[in-house]
């Protein structure tokens, strides 16, 4: 049976811990774990802990962590994904898959053709939701470090501050990814549902981005990061055939 693995948003160490209420409810009431069940916990530091549930109540769960183990290493290729802000499930999908594929940092990008605008309380709720999407993806895929998810940013502001050895904007008429030399860090710019305008592509090029294509077909905004990160990780990262 696969060992249950959970992210705990608090520093962990060997010994006994009372888990936060949300995780306690999920472990005890939703998954119906019992005393004696083995668990694996991680706190995002890169360290993982093996332990056993020693108390499972309606509102509280205690665990005894007995062994510290090294977590899964991060990819040698640090990827910052600038993902065009899109509607609900499409954005969730992009963040989930980018997390699974090893993106180190994700910034939702607000561009001219975005159909979504987030402000104040609504933006805070979406940020919390996206973080939980990334946490769940890390729990599933084995990552020990959460990706950084930044607040939505206007395209011009993101272009001014992004730093990477290689910066690429996806475009259907351009050189393929493999035409570039191996970088240590990579920034990807992917447009929203309506795509990036020609002016925005030119703006990215002026900021040091190179146009790159993934193949002959135009991909949806939520499909593009899956393909782009997969190809980049296979060429220069840790996704080996």
């Amino acid at each position: 049976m696969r060992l249950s693995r959970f992210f705990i948003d608090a520093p962990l160490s060997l010994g006994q811990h009372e888990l936060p209420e949300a995780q306690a409810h999920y472990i005890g009431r939703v998954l119906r774990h019992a005393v004696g069940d083995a668990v694996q916990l991680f706190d995002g530091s890169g360290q993982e802990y093996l332990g056993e549930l020693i108390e499972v109540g309606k509102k509280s769960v205690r665990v005894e962590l007995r062994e510290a183990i090294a977590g899964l290493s991060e990819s040698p290729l640090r990827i910052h994904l600038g993902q065009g802000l899109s509607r609900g499930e499409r954005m969730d999908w992009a963040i989930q898959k980018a997390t699974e594929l090893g993106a180190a940092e994700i910034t939702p990008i607000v561009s001219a053709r975005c159909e979504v605008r987030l402000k104040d309380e609504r933006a805070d709720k979406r940020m919390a939701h996206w973080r939980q999407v990334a946490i769940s993806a890390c729990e599933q895929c084995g990552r020990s470090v959460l990706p950084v998810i930044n607040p939505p940013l206007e395209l011009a502001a993101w272009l001014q501050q992004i730093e990477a050895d290689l910066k690429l904007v996806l475009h259907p008429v351009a050189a393929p990814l493999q035409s570039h030399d191996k970088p240590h860090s990579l920034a990807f710019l992917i447009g929203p549902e309506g795509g990036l305008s020609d002016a925005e592509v030119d703006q990215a090029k002026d900021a040091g981005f190179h146009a790159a294509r993934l193949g002959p077909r135009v991909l949806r905004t939520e499909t593009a990061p899956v393909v782009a990160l997969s190809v980049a990780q296979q060429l220069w990262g840790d996704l080996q055939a």
Side-chain angles (χ1 to χ4, degrees), residues 96-218:
Q96 180 189 70
K97 299 311 172 188
T99 300
E100 291 179 28
L101 288 164
E105 193 166 353
I106 303 167
T107 301
I109 300 296
V110 179
S111 58
R113 295 174 180 169
C114 281
E115 299 180 8
V116 181
R117 291 292 188 272
L118 299 176
K119 292 183 180 180
D120 303 330
E121 184 178 348
R122 188 179 175 209
D124 292 340
K125 288 181 178 178
R126 294 310 296 173
M127 285 291 297
H129 173 75
W130 291 331
R131 187 170 189 269
Q132 188 55 54
V133 168
I135 287 171
S136 297
C138 285
E139 290 176 336
Q140 179 275 322
C141 75
R143 281 187 74 175
S144 300
V145 178
L146 303 183
V148 175
I149 301 181
N150 297 310
L153 198 60
E154 295 284 343
L155 175 61
W158 187 74
L159 291 175
Q160 288 180 355
Q161 69 182 44
I162 188 69
E163 294 183 0
D165 293 340
L166 178 61
K167 297 185 281 190
L168 300 175
V169 53
L170 295 188
H171 195 276
V173 182
L177 261 65
Q178 56 265 38
S179 64
H180 297 278
D181 293 333
K182 179 179 179 178
H184 294 293
S185 58
L186 172 65
F188 264 125
L189 173 58
I190 295 175
E193 292 150 293
L196 295 170
S197 68
D198 290 341
E200 288 171 331
V201 172
D202 289 340
Q203 187 180 9
K205 289 179 180 179
D206 290 341
F209 279 71
H210 301 276
R213 64 179 171 85
L214 296 174
R217 290 168 292 278
V218 177

